[in-house]
Amino acid sequence: MFDLNTMRLELSEAYDLSPNPELAEQMQDVYEKMSRVVNPVDWATYAPYVAAINALKKERNAVILAHNYMTPEIYHGVADVVGDSLQLAVKAVEVEADVIVQCGVHFMAETSKILNPSKTVLIPDMEAGCSLAESITADGIAQMRAKYPGAPVVSYVNTTAEVKAASDICCTSSNAAQIVAAMENDTVIMTPDQYLAQNVARDVPQKNVVWWEGSCIVHEQYTAQDLKDFREWNPGTSIIAHPECPPDVVDESDFSGSTSGIIKFVTDNRPEKAMLVTECSMASNIADALPDVDFVGPCNMCPFMKKITLEKILWSLHTMSEPVEVDPNVAQKAKVAVQRMIDLSQKLGI
Ligand code: 13P
Ligand code: SF4
């Protein structure tokens, strides 16, 4: 693990990173994508990092894959590809550059490495974990198989490579219901998100969905009462929830979908007021593209996603750290589960 002071000293010796209003002005086209949510003073502090990262990307022949939960200066300033978990996995297969910098959490970087093992995959902070990925091990999958013999295991991509390797197929929030519906058996094991599983169980009543008891620390905080109270306080708000929220929260919402599904819904429907029941950066990243939508209401931050910063991305490219490695035997088995998901999604037109 790096030492922040050493990192800052070394970076300041290698690059001019002091706030730079002139450079910020020159990069106005980038700033325009986030001017509703990032003030000009902050932009002047980000601009030197954005410029340095974009120059280093060329030097290293690197691409940045960034999840929709990254902050606006990452999402609009340095990312080459942005998307939800499924979109990032599909793009990871297609990367031709030598290096992938994964701006997201560790399981996403592992997925990129599994799908494209000849590439160097870097994550700017190894401690960017996920409460769901931490909730289950391969032993947990074995326990579920023993409890429900013969039932296929559908694991959320928010899992470690070992768990993927022990599963039959993966899913993401954008294809979970369709993947479960496509399984041949009546009983389907879903791990590790109990709430995603319960939401899928309702959408796919023909299956007996059983689940592991994991949860997302960001989405489990919302309650149905919060949404009811908010609607009463601010009538006319379109409420949109991620399916990692408990089912009664999803019931209180007007729409539920993956992070990209949420962006598409708001973009297509242009509600006057929208409350995104998910991670905070989602609304910030689309605020400028949708000036007619007023994003209202509380949001919760993912402490893991927020470990990724411009400073750490620059350090990552500067030092080529930290490379994500997956044991080749585990990677081979995990790839089968991830690739099955990608192939089935493409067949189903998702
Ligand atoms: P999406 O696949 O919807 O982007 O979700 C990933 C995630 O971690 C949400 O918490
Ligand atoms: Fe994991 Fe939840 Fe953070 Fe997504 S938001 S990375 S599911 S902890």
Side-chain angles (χ1 to χ4, degrees):
M1 195 56 229
F2 52 72
D3 168 65
L4 267 183
N5 290 332
T6 312
M7 172 179 81
R8 286 186 179 144
L9 184 67
E10 201 173 316
L11 286 179
S12 66
E13 282 167 1
Y15 309 91
D16 183 0
L17 295 171
S18 42
N20 189 333
E22 292 79 35
L23 182 64
E25 183 63 35
Q26 285 163 28
M27 295 165 68
Q28 194 64 21
D29 55 328
V30 183
Y31 180 55
E32 271 164 16
K33 295 178 191 155
M34 58 185 117
S35 62
R36 231 179 126 192
V37 289
V38 174
N39 69 62
V41 177
D42 284 345
W43 175 238
T45 68
Y46 296 147
Y49 287 88
V50 170
I53 290 167
N54 286 332
L56 254 189
K57 272 195 317 195
K58 288 200 185 102
E59 223 174 274
R60 305 277 197 227
N61 191 21
V63 293
I64 292 184
L65 304 188
H67 186 259
N68 290 327
Y69 289 165
M70 291 294 100
T71 49
E73 67 280 7
I74 296 174
Y75 186 92
H76 293 296
V78 300
D80 297 289
V81 175
V82 293
D84 66 14
S85 309
L86 179 63
Q87 291 168 327
L88 294 180
V90 169
K91 284 288 170 192
V93 185
E94 297 165 6
V95 166
E96 285 179 3
D98 298 325
V99 180
I100 295 173
V101 183
Q102 194 85 34
C103 291
V105 291
H106 189 263
F107 76 80
M108 295 177 176
E110 259 190 355
T111 305
S112 291
K113 184 70 183 174
I114 289 164
L115 290 169
N116 212 338
S118 66
K119 306 296 173 190
T120 299
V121 178
L122 305 175
I123 184 154
D125 190 330
M126 268 295 173
E127 288 179 5
C130 168
S131 64
L132 282 168
E134 282 160 21
S135 73
I136 188 165
T137 61
D139 189 49
I141 301 287
Q143 285 172 35
M144 292 301 274
R145 286 197 193 276
K147 203 166 162 191
Y148 302 101
V153 175
V154 179
S155 284
Y156 202 25
V157 281
N158 298 39
T159 44
T160 60
E162 286 79 11
V163 168
K164 289 184 175 77
S167 306
D168 296 294
I169 187 166
C170 286
C171 74
T172 73
S173 55
S174 56
N175 59 21
Q178 292 90 332
I179 300 255
V180 168
M183 295 296 105
E184 280 178 8
N185 306 51
D186 290 338
T187 297
V188 179
I189 299 166
M190 281 191 80
T191 75
D193 188 346
Q194 58 184 306
Y195 297 129
L196 179 72
Q198 288 161 20
N199 287 316
V200 167
R202 199 180 31 189
D203 293 343
V204 189
Q206 67 274 30
K207 297 290 178 192
N208 171 34
V209 179
V210 293
W211 53 79
W212 186 256
E213 298 281 330
S215 56
C216 161
I217 52 165
V218 175
H219 294 95
E220 72 178 353
Q221 290 179 47
Y222 291 102
T223 67
Q225 193 60 45
D226 291 341
L227 271 60
K228 279 191 193 127
D229 290 347
F230 194 84
R231 223 188 258 290
E232 209 176 298
W233 178 68
N234 202 338
T237 300
S238 180
I239 300 185
I240 303 137
H242 194 277
E244 286 171 15
C245 294
D248 59 338
V249 172
V250 171
D251 276 348
E252 268 309 313
S253 69
D254 300 303
F255 175 79
S256 175
S258 75
T259 55
S260 290
I262 292 173
I263 293 173
K264 186 173 179 332
F265 180 85
V266 183
T267 306
D268 291 349
N269 292 280
R270 304 282 170 138
E272 207 179 301
K273 291 177 282 185
M275 173 178 167
L276 307 191
V277 185
T278 186
E279 214 274 346
C280 283
S281 290
M282 280 278 292
S284 311
N285 287 335
I286 54 175
D288 279 75
L290 303 171
D292 45 334
V293 181
D294 192 8
F295 290 95
V296 293
C299 61
N300 294 326
M301 266 192 206
C302 172
F304 303 111
M305 290 277 182
K306 264 45 206 182
K307 283 191 177 290
I308 308 298
T309 61
L310 282 179
E311 191 179 43
K312 290 184 197 164
I313 297 169
L314 180 57
W315 179 250
S316 180
L317 278 165
H318 178 70
T319 56
M320 294 297 283
S321 63
E322 302 198 27
V324 174
E325 300 298 346
V326 183
D327 176 279
N329 289 326
V330 173
Q332 209 183 2
K333 290 189 194 131
K335 188 173 180 175
V336 173
V338 180
Q339 196 62 52
R340 267 190 197 142
M341 167 190 78
I342 293 176
D343 295 344
L344 186 51
S345 297
Q346 280 165 356
K347 196 171 140 203
L348 296 170
I350 300 163

